[in-house]
Amino acid sequence: MPTPIITRSGYLRLQKEHDHLWRIERPEVTKKVAWAASLGDRSENADYQYNKKKLREIDRRVRYLRKCLSNLKVVDYHPQQEGKVFFGAWVDLYRESDDQSLSLRVVGYDEIFGRKDYISIDSPMARALLGKQVDDEVTVMIEGRKSVWLIEEIRYDTDDKL
């Protein structure tokens, strides 16, 4: 089970998605379902079937977001975090073995979808990074391969500060 924490910006994004689905998309789709139902035979009515399915998807996502938002704990930035990797940190990494650079942000599970530069606090990389500072080497085992990274920079977003 993922750790139930989230950055303030992530929480606000989920809240905005919920509000948009509930106040804008759902009423529009509900009107389309009602209109299509008024046309008669629903078994062969593609508009009715499509919009009814879309309504179920919206309702499923709204239920998930409501449950999620009530269970998540928002973790804000605190000045004591400066200089070390903690939740919400952006970390610039470098791997000498293949001259690869990487910039990642350690966030909650519900924030990683659709973002290649976000990693879950529960991931092996995030666990290895926590508490480290600039110029520390971090060794991560992923899929049986050992990878050594050097921390080049640590920073925090200003939108997640108190």
Side-chain angles (χ1 to χ4, degrees), residues 5-19:
I5 58 178
I6 193 166
T7 62
R8 178 145 321 267
S9 59
Y11 186 85
L12 293 173
R13 260 191 307 280
L14 290 181
Q15 199 171 46
K16 184 178 178 181
E17 179 188 356
H18 171 272
D19 292 347

Side-chain angles (χ1 to χ4, degrees), residues 64-76:
Y64 174 79
L65 289 170
R66 283 185 178 164
K67 183 179 177 187
C68 210
L69 290 167
S70 67
N71 291 333
L72 287 170
K73 180 183 185 309
V74 174
V75 177
D76 287 314

Side-chain angles (χ1 to χ4, degrees), residues 73-137:
K73 180 183 185 309
V74 174
V75 177
D76 287 314
Y77 165 84
H78 292 284
Q80 304 94 300
Q81 292 176 258
E82 279 304 320
K84 289 194 176 187
V85 179
F86 290 106
F87 185 78
W90 278 100
V91 185
D92 292 341
L93 301 164
Y94 176 73
R95 185 168 58 194
E96 191 175 343
S97 64
D98 60 355
D99 195 37
Q100 183 179 359
S101 292
L102 200 56
S103 184
L104 301 169
R105 185 172 189 207
V106 179
V107 296
Y109 171 78
D110 291 295
E111 298 177 81
I112 63 172
F113 301 101
R115 297 287 307 251
K116 293 187 185 292
D117 56 347
Y118 279 17
I119 59 172
S120 168
I121 186 77
D122 299 314
S123 69
M125 176 67 91
R127 292 288 181 199
L129 289 169
L130 289 177
K132 301 289 195 258
Q133 33 194 346
V134 173
D135 293 332
D136 282 355
E137 279 193 351

Side-chain angles (χ1 to χ4, degrees), residues 9-38:
S9 59
Y11 186 85
L12 293 173
R13 260 191 307 280
L14 290 181
Q15 199 171 46
K16 184 178 178 181
E17 179 188 356
H18 171 272
D19 292 347
H20 177 77
L21 287 171
W22 188 248
R23 294 190 176 128
I24 296 169
E25 278 196 47
R26 192 177 194 287
E28 288 175 8
V29 174
T30 301
K31 284 179 192 173
K32 290 177 185 175
V33 168
W35 169 80
S38 73

